[in-house]
Amino acid sequence: MKTHASTDVQSSHSPLTAGWALPLTTIIFIAALHALGHGGDLSYWTSWMSDLLRGYDTISANYPPILLHWFWLLAQIFDGLGFVYPPKSEVTLKFFALLPILFIQLWLSLRVEQQLISRNIEPLRSPIFWGVVASPALLLDGPVWGQVDLLPFLPVWLSLSYAFQGRFFIAGIAFTVALMCKFQAIVLLPVLAGLFMRQLSFKTWYHAPQVIAGMAVAGVIGFLPFILNGRFSEMFHAAYLGNTSIFPYASMNAANLWYALTGNLTNMHVPLFGSQNEWITPHKIGLFLFISASILVMLRAWFKTERFGQVISLSMAILLAFFVFAPSMHERYLFLLVPFAAMGCARGDLKCGWFAISTLLVTLNILLVLPLDGENVWLQLSWLHVATASIALISLALGFDLKVKPPTYYSRPVTAIAITVFTGFQVAQLEPIKHISFDEQGKIYLSDIKEESYTQGWGRLQKDRTISNNSITIANQHFDKGLGAHAPSKIVYTIPAGAKYFQAFYGLDEGGKKGRVRFDVLLDDQQVWSSGTTNYATAKKVLIDISSAREITLHIDPVGSMNSDHANWAEASFWQDNPEAKKLIASQSIIIQNTRRDSR
């Protein structure tokens, strides 16, 4: 039943305010980029970006292809312009990676504003409008953290809309695109199946091949680079089928049924309540509950959908059932509930309270695992206060009437200008590709050249800094150069022509006093050296002959728990000659010179 929220203020006596959705969304999104990103995911991004600089041949990723295509496109642009890719600044990295997310949120904000105005509701006085433009759920999961969970929303929404209209070829294309954005979009399949059955009859049998044809066309185009490289089966399995087995817990930071019954990070195959019955496990019971909910939603979509608002309600119901009952749940898997609730409430199909509840649930789940980094926000907040105080003095103290309401026809140019200007600032901070050569000592520091790829369990690979962004220190010994990592870590470099030796000091830094790791070096994927289990201790040195190798991999194993595993490869460098021999020659030269002085 359509209900107008009591908190929405209708304005029938004056023109409604339009044009704020796009610029406000843009400004708040850009400001939120300066908060702390999720190090684990950012390290995956940088690894995939580095691989895609060389093309689709060697990329190793357990992710659907749409985001990989975007990273490949960025790689071509950055490489063509001569900039280091991926960008080193976290803000710049998140901005370019999340540009598609920004445009989807702009679309969502604009649609919400338009729906409110069509119902004669003042957007600037509506909690739905502000809940989308400055949504804590959208911001925390998106530009603050750096997630891409909003990516499938637009194609899923279009798929449901077209399926409701009986346009199944386009609906099939849109749904496949959603699946190629995020596999979690599969949870909406019961709603689509019900809408499909609603249209199907003996006279409309042709809808079935339309759906299959639409999905096939989108799938072939989406996976085309991997099909041409003969890697379709490998990448399809990694992105979809393989993902079903990489998450063994009943709940990972997801406040759902299994968190309540068994706690966090509990094996989903362990029988409940001390039972020996292998059927009484979160895995089997959770699947049963979710499949039951899916059947219920599909039947309702089949027999009881006269209005599109009912489709929105069913989508929200299955999203909640998926998060609450299904096993292997992550804290962000409820995320799509928020944009669905926003659209449903803006259209008047749902009460405003549904959007408030949805936003609260998703926000709290993300905040459980995402503490904000105040140091990254304070500087921007300071300038915001300065700007606000200046405007207040001009407007309130001096009495100038500042008209800040933009006409509708200005909103899109203002948004485009804001995005363009911020993009320009980020481009200005990009580092040109450096062509480093051996110095006068015959060495090249690894921190001065571009790695081929890296993956890391927490944080981003740091150069000439520790993982905590401090100067490199191992047991009170300070180093100016080196790589700061966190176990597990895998850093791959192509060995430059002329390099014959690799040398580094290794050890845990101040943040790793309670850690325990193992350092390994691989040449062309073959292990040639291992430190053994290393605790917090004095820095030790490794020297390896690399003259016959093409590629070197620096690997750090967490040796069990990854807590406090802040590890450094200090002064990691390639050498043209044996640095120990150079030291011996240098010391002998000093002895000879001193002997000559003494003989005088």
Side-chain angles (χ1 to χ4, degrees):
M1 186 175 74
K2 290 189 177 182
T3 309
H4 288 191
S6 60
T7 49
D8 286 335
V9 179
Q10 299 191 14
S11 176
S12 57
H13 303 293
S14 60
L16 299 178
T17 305
W20 280 100
L22 298 182
L24 283 175
T25 300
T26 301
I27 292 169
I28 295 172
F29 188 98
I30 288 174
L33 287 169
H34 293 79
L36 181 67
H38 184 248
D41 281 1
L42 297 187
S43 70
Y44 281 117
W45 288 5
T46 53
S47 176
W48 300 343
M49 289 173 171
S50 298
D51 288 345
L52 287 167
L53 268 174
R54 296 173 289 169
Y56 288 93
D57 296 343
T58 59
I59 175 70
S60 176
N62 61 336
Y63 211 85
I66 295 295
L67 186 66
L68 301 182
H69 296 331
W70 173 241
F71 287 171
W72 175 86
L73 179 61
L74 288 176
Q76 309 315 304
I77 295 173
F78 274 61
D79 192 50
L81 297 175
F83 291 125
V84 170
Y85 184 76
K88 294 183 179 181
S89 162
E90 182 177 298
V91 172
T92 308
L93 172 68
K94 287 199 293 181
F95 173 68
F96 284 106
L98 295 176
L99 265 179
I101 304 301
L102 171 58
F103 291 121
I104 291 174
Q105 191 171 345
L106 287 173
W107 178 87
L108 176 63
S109 300
L110 183 61
R111 290 290 294 160
V112 165
E113 183 182 64
Q114 292 171 343
Q115 291 289 345
L116 291 171
I117 290 175
S118 71
R119 295 171 54 214
N120 201 35
I121 295 173
E122 171 59 58
L124 294 182
R125 296 183 180 180
S126 168
I128 306 301
F129 174 82
W130 287 106
V132 173
V133 167
S135 168
L138 298 180
L139 293 172
L140 284 172
D141 188 76
V144 170
W145 199 351
Q147 296 297 336
V148 291
D149 296 288
L150 190 61
L151 200 58
F153 172 68
L154 181 54
V156 159
W157 179 267
L158 294 176
S159 177
L160 292 170
S161 178
Y162 286 125
F164 182 74
Q165 301 169 36
R167 300 169 66 183
F168 287 100
F169 178 74
I170 303 177
I173 291 177
F175 187 61
T176 303
V177 171
L179 291 176
M180 291 191 294
C181 291
K182 283 285 262 190
F183 188 32
Q184 284 83 357
I186 194 72
V187 71
L188 276 301
L189 185 59
V191 184
L192 284 168
L195 294 176
F196 173 72
M197 298 300 294
R198 184 176 69 105
Q199 296 281 344
L200 196 62
S201 67
F202 180 76
K203 294 182 179 180
T204 58
W205 60 269
Y206 56 86
H207 285 320
Q210 282 184 359
V211 174
I212 296 171
M215 296 183 74
V217 167
V220 168
I221 294 174
F223 277 94
L224 188 59
F226 301 111
I227 293 173
L228 295 177
N229 286 326
R231 303 187 64 205
F232 169 74
S233 178
E234 172 195 348
M235 295 302 294
F236 184 86
H237 183 273
Y240 301 108
L241 304 179
N243 265 331
T244 59
S245 61
I246 64 173
F247 189 52
Y249 301 112
S251 173
M252 183 173 180
N253 307 315
N256 62 359
L257 174 64
W258 306 113
Y259 198 111
L261 290 180
T262 66
N264 199 21
L265 303 180
T266 301
N267 190 317
M268 67 177 178
H269 298 289
V270 174
L272 295 171
F273 316 119
S275 170
Q276 300 301 314
N277 191 329
E278 63 179 11
W279 289 96
I280 307 179
T281 66
H283 175 67
K284 292 183 172 63
I285 296 176
L287 285 180
F288 172 76
L289 291 174
F290 177 62
I291 290 172
S292 300
S294 298
I295 293 173
L296 175 64
V297 166
M298 185 185 71
L299 292 175
R300 182 63 189 259
W302 186 353
F303 295 110
K304 296 287 185 180
T305 48
E306 292 95 22
R307 296 177 294 104
F308 188 68
Q310 294 169 319
V311 176
I312 298 175
S313 299
L314 290 173
S315 301
M316 292 175 60
I318 196 63
L319 285 166
L320 275 164
F322 176 64
F323 182 80
V324 171
F325 298 125
S328 296
M329 207 43 49
H330 205 284
E331 77 276 352
R332 300 186 330 273
Y333 287 2
L334 189 60
F335 178 79
L336 285 179
L337 186 69
V338 173
F340 271 103
M343 290 294 285
C345 293
R347 288 165 47 93
D349 297 311
L350 300 170
K351 291 184 178 180
C352 184
W354 276 111
F355 180 65
I357 292 171
S358 301
T359 301
L360 179 65
L361 291 177
V362 173
T363 299
L364 290 178
N365 261 287
I366 295 173
L367 280 176
L368 286 175
V369 295
L370 183 66
L372 295 180
D373 185 1
E375 291 184 1
N376 279 347
V377 179
W378 285 333
L379 179 60
Q380 287 70 39
L381 188 60
S382 300
W383 285 113
L384 179 62
H385 286 158
V386 171
T388 304
S390 301
I391 293 172
L393 287 171
I394 296 172
S395 177
L396 303 177
L398 299 181
F400 289 100
D401 183 15
L402 298 179
K403 296 181 179 180
V404 294
K405 175 182 174 182
T408 302
Y409 50 86
Y410 282 168
S411 66
R412 298 186 184 187
V414 166
T415 303
I417 291 171
I419 295 174
T420 302
V421 169
F422 189 75
T423 302
F425 278 123
Q426 298 310 310
V427 170
Q429 297 180 61
L430 295 176
E431 296 186 33
I433 297 174
K434 299 176 182 178
H435 300 284
I436 303 295
S437 56
F438 291 96
D439 63 15
E440 65 278 1
Q441 291 182 305
K443 72 174 182 300
I444 296 176
Y445 287 113
L446 273 65
S447 59
D448 288 336
I449 59 177
K450 186 74 180 69
E451 71 280 359
E452 285 296 321
S453 65
Y454 85 89
T455 56
Q456 195 159 279
W458 183 84
R460 294 184 65 192
L461 174 66
Q462 297 285 351
K463 297 187 175 183
D464 302 330
R465 308 288 289 177
T466 68
I467 191 67
S468 303
N469 200 32
N470 299 314
S471 59
I472 293 181
T473 303
I474 301 175
N476 297 321
Q477 186 175 354
H478 298 277
F479 301 88
D480 293 328
K481 306 291 291 183
L483 304 173
H486 191 295
S489 171
K490 179 182 177 183
I491 315 167
V492 181
Y493 279 89
T494 296
I495 297 173
K500 296 181 180 180
Y501 290 89
F502 166 77
Q503 178 179 269
F505 294 89
Y506 62 91
L508 294 165
D509 69 23
E510 294 295 320
K513 287 185 176 181
K514 297 180 181 180
R516 185 177 62 161
V517 301
R518 185 184 71 246
F519 295 84
D520 301 314
V521 175
L522 293 78
L523 295 179
D524 296 335
D525 292 328
Q526 299 296 316
Q527 183 172 318
V528 296
W529 174 85
S530 178
S531 68
T533 301
T534 302
N535 298 310
Y536 182 73
T538 304
K540 298 179 181 179
K541 185 164 62 175
V542 54
L543 177 63
I544 296 174
D545 186 330
I546 58 173
S547 56
S548 60
R550 182 187 65 84
E551 189 176 79
I552 187 170
T553 301
L554 307 182
H555 179 259
I556 306 174
D557 188 279
V559 191
S561 171
M562 59 182 284
N563 291 334
S564 301
D565 289 349
H566 297 218
N568 299 320
W569 296 94
E571 292 191 3
S573 49
F574 294 121
W575 290 77
Q576 289 179 308
D577 297 302
N578 189 329
E580 293 299 324
K582 282 179 171 291
K583 285 184 179 179
L584 179 61
I585 293 172
S587 63
Q588 290 175 343
S589 175
I590 292 173
I591 293 172
I592 292 172
Q593 290 177 5
N594 290 336
T595 303
R596 288 175 178 173
R597 290 195 190 99
D598 294 339
S599 64
R600 291 175 186 175

